Amino acid sequence: MAETLFMAIDLGTSFIKTGVYAEDSECLAAAMEPVRDYRPGPGIFIQKGEELFASVLACMKKVTEQLGDRAGNIAAISFTGQMSGFMGVDENWNDITTWSCSLDSRYMPYAQRQMKELKDAFYITGGTNFPQMAPKSEWFRKEFPEESAKIRKYLMISGYVIGKLGDISVEESVMDRSYTQWTGLADVQAGKWSEEICSAVGMEPDKLPKIVNSNTICAHLRQDMAEQTGLKSGIPLVSGAGDKAAGCLGAAIVHPGDLIFEAGSYGAVSCCVKEWRPDMEERRYDMIPSAVPGDFLIENFITGSGITLDWFIDTFVKEKNMSLKDAFSGMEDEMESIPIGCSGLMSVGLLSGSSMPLIDSIHGMWMGFDWSHSKAHFYKSLMESLTYDFGLSLERMKAMYPEYEMSRVSTIGGGAKSRIWPQMCADAHRKIYGILNREDVAMWGACILAGNAVGIYPDIRKAADENVWVVKEFIPDEERSVVYDKYGAQYDRCFHAMSRFYNEVCGIAEEN
């Protein structure tokens, strides 16, 4: 009996990743290809569509070469990747705007103005504290009017790649529903573009793609693309889902109340829910359509949380000829003897501002230190501050969805390898943190969607549940939890009290 394989393509900011999986979730081949970017000035981050797509083709070819004849058994190709950004193409799929992700901040004045005017609509209707496509499209129309006139459709990066690979016209372009939230242009709960918001920001609705579910066959691989990648033509191209949504599916966050902590560069806590309940009081989470049709994910992410910890190690700890692994390990050895609260040293680790709630003036801070504090105290205080911030979001999730148990948290990402952080989270949040058996959850989640689209996995939730499990647990200790309660409350008070001071500091910096 012939095997059935699935290909997942992860459209990341720095790299394209491709993996081919068997029905039992085993990854049989994988490859990575860098994506070139251009940074000609402060706040400018450009990736050309043609170069990005060339990286996709090269990565696909690498994987098919690894598989040899088995590449002929690939039954479907699905997509995942970065979830916020903006791209405009003409009627022939030519890139007009370049791909503009969140790192390209030239649109910020438009975003700040739109947020003042449409803050509640973006959140209640669009599910987001801070949209991307809505302000980026206005920025491009106003500042590049000649190029803007050529745009036929505004897309996310996955829609662009599907269009370039597939046998569809630009009028048949698609956007998976999991991407709609950070556009700021959609009525996410209804699964359609919001006439109210589009009108307010000057977006012509006919220039937006069709919204589809994550398990939709959107096109089929064209003959010329098949020849360039070593695949057979006609393979179904499945919409897939953004990396957060696909990752939650691959990690089996598919039942109401399921929680996951992604301890990565942009750390996030997410919970699967059935009902649409925006947090109007504190805005501590965004609401994302799940890869499972009809469900939602409530999510809080801290911009650059993992990058902050890396920055500290690179800047203050890592010495010449010392590996990054040894630098982290050494810090953890020293941290084990440091008490909760770091002997009076407290920090705010939001070096890139607060995303949820949106307070972009907040940055990093340490206070309460004296001559007794070491590098390890400062590092642990950063880790504690991130833990407290995620804890505040978990509290709001529980307050808004009291019917869900929310007692266990699946854990993935680089921070899951730490000896310290998962236990700190377990104690501070009074939840069991479980380390999962796999890291490739977004790629595997995309393959589940591919398999479902072609009838191999008729039950998406069952396919997810059967292929991921906990390999290690961190149990909360009540005595430590009581101590963390005090420091967590202190962090919450500091977070709110310091907002005015941060605004003043940022204002002085801008003047100079």
Side-chain angles (χ1 to χ4, degrees):
M1 186 174 178
E3 65 179 351
T4 302
L5 308 180
F6 307 105
M7 177 181 285
I9 300 176
D10 185 348
L11 304 165
T13 304
S14 300
F15 293 93
I16 304 298
K17 300 175 185 176
T18 303
V20 174
Y21 288 72
E23 286 185 56
D24 64 0
S25 86
E26 179 187 1
C27 183
L28 302 177
M32 183 182 295
E33 190 74 18
V35 178
R36 186 176 182 182
D37 63 66
Y38 301 85
R39 311 184 193 199
I44 303 176
F45 186 93
I46 294 170
Q47 290 179 313
K48 298 179 180 179
E50 292 79 9
E51 293 180 352
L52 192 151
F53 185 63
S55 292
V56 171
L57 294 178
C59 201
M60 293 171 69
K61 187 173 182 179
K62 283 182 179 179
V63 166
T64 57
E65 288 175 345
Q66 291 178 40
L67 288 170
D69 292 341
R70 297 176 76 182
N73 297 325
I74 294 174
I77 301 172
S78 187
F79 302 84
T80 185
Q82 50 190 307
M83 293 182 66
S84 60
F86 143 91
M87 187 176 196
V89 300
D90 68 13
E91 60 185 10
N92 296 312
W93 296 101
N94 294 312
D95 173 18
I96 302 300
T97 63
T98 75
W99 168 245
S100 177
C101 70
S102 59
L103 296 175
D104 188 0
S105 60
R106 290 174 289 172
Y107 74 107
M108 283 301 295
Y110 295 87
Q112 290 164 352
R113 196 206 76 248
Q114 285 188 9
M115 280 298 295
K116 289 179 182 178
E117 298 172 356
L118 297 165
K119 182 177 181 179
D120 285 348
F122 282 141
Y123 193 55
I124 296 170
T125 305
T128 182
N129 280 278
F130 199 75
Q132 289 268 319
M133 187 177 283
K136 279 181 178 285
S137 59
E138 184 184 7
W139 156 71
F140 198 85
R141 287 196 306 272
K142 296 288 179 62
E143 302 199 16
F144 303 92
E146 291 185 15
E147 290 86 349
S148 181
K150 302 174 186 176
I151 295 173
R152 182 65 200 108
K153 291 289 183 179
Y154 293 98
L155 303 171
M156 292 298 294
I157 192 63
S158 61
Y160 169 71
V161 172
I162 289 172
K164 296 282 282 185
L165 289 172
D167 56 352
I168 57 175
S169 71
V170 75
E171 297 302 327
E172 300 170 282
S173 61
V174 298
M175 184 184 294
D176 161 60
R177 65 194 293 265
S178 72
Y179 290 100
T180 57
Q181 166 254 354
W182 278 318
T183 67
L185 296 167
D187 181 338
V188 175
Q189 190 177 11
K192 63 181 183 180
W193 299 113
S194 167
E195 294 181 7
E196 173 194 356
I197 297 176
C198 286
S199 176
V201 302
M203 171 60 73
E204 300 172 56
D206 71 334
K207 289 189 175 182
L208 294 170
K210 178 183 178 182
I211 297 173
V212 298
N213 283 332
S214 302
N215 57 350
T216 302
I217 296 175
C218 304
H220 296 81
L221 188 65
R222 292 202 326 253
Q223 179 65 43
D224 58 333
M225 295 292 104
E227 292 172 358
Q228 291 188 53
T229 57
L231 294 168
K232 63 185 179 183
S233 64
I235 297 175
L237 304 180
V238 179
S239 49
D243 51 11
K244 300 296 185 188
C248 283
L249 175 59
I253 307 302
V254 292
H255 305 284
D258 285 352
L259 284 163
I260 187 168
F261 173 37
E262 181 186 356
S265 297
Y266 278 53
V269 288
S270 307
C271 181
C272 176
V273 299
K274 287 286 187 184
E275 301 82 9
W276 182 267
R277 298 176 193 168
D279 175 19
M280 297 304 297
E281 183 177 344
E282 295 191 25
R283 298 178 188 253
R284 275 274 172 188
Y285 56 75
D286 277 3
M287 304 196 67
I288 303 173
S290 167
V292 180
D295 289 356
F296 298 98
L297 300 166
I298 52 175
E299 178 182 281
N300 171 282
F301 70 85
I302 296 179
T303 303
S305 57
I307 295 172
T308 294
L309 299 178
D310 290 345
W311 160 81
F312 185 91
I313 295 295
D314 283 334
T315 306
F316 302 110
V317 179
K318 189 174 180 294
E319 299 176 357
K320 188 177 181 180
N321 300 323
M322 178 187 288
S323 70
L324 195 59
K325 181 179 179 180
D326 287 343
F328 274 107
S329 180
M331 273 291 94
E332 297 222 328
D333 289 342
E334 293 185 45
M335 284 166 56
E336 287 184 320
S337 62
I338 295 174
I340 297 170
C342 300
S343 302
L345 172 59
M346 181 182 173
S347 78
V348 174
L350 306 177
L351 271 62
S352 190
S354 171
S355 299
M356 302 173 204
L358 179 62
I359 310 175
D360 58 3
S361 61
I362 286 182
H363 286 80
M365 180 183 67
W366 279 290
M367 63 182 176
F369 54 92
D370 57 32
W371 294 308
S372 70
H373 291 101
S374 67
K375 292 178 183 178
H377 284 87
F378 283 86
Y379 182 71
K380 186 173 183 179
S381 73
L382 278 178
M383 189 176 286
E384 286 184 341
S385 78
L386 299 173
T387 302
Y388 299 143
D389 207 87
F390 283 127
L392 292 171
S393 298
L394 289 169
E395 288 176 9
R396 290 304 300 162
M397 292 176 183
K398 181 62 178 174
M400 295 297 293
Y401 294 86
E403 68 272 31
Y404 298 155
E405 186 176 350
M406 299 189 189
S407 61
R408 292 176 171 269
V409 184
S410 298
T411 310
I412 60 171
K417 300 179 177 68
S418 168
R419 305 191 309 274
I420 304 293
W421 205 1
Q423 187 63 59
M424 181 187 293
C425 291
D427 294 335
H429 303 156
R430 283 189 170 85
K431 299 182 188 298
I432 297 172
Y433 273 68
I435 309 301
L436 298 185
N437 65 310
R438 64 189 316 148
E439 283 289 313
D440 58 344
V441 290
M443 297 272 277
W444 168 235
C447 286
I448 292 176
L449 295 168
N452 175 259
V454 296
I456 301 300
Y457 306 126
D459 188 328
I460 290 177
R461 292 184 180 87
K462 182 179 179 183
D465 285 334
E466 289 179 346
N467 289 284
V468 67
W469 54 86
V470 171
V471 295
K472 184 178 181 180
E473 288 188 336
F474 292 83
I475 310 297
D477 178 276
E478 181 59 24
E479 290 186 7
R480 292 195 294 265
S481 296
V482 170
V483 180
Y484 275 118
D485 286 344
K486 299 175 184 177
Y487 287 106
Q490 182 186 51
Y491 175 87
D492 190 21
R493 291 193 299 272
C494 177
F495 176 88
H496 290 94
M498 296 299 289
S499 295
R500 186 176 67 181
F501 171 76
Y502 277 114
N503 282 328
E504 181 180 335
V505 170
C506 287
I508 293 172
E510 289 173 1
E511 290 174 5
N512 294 282

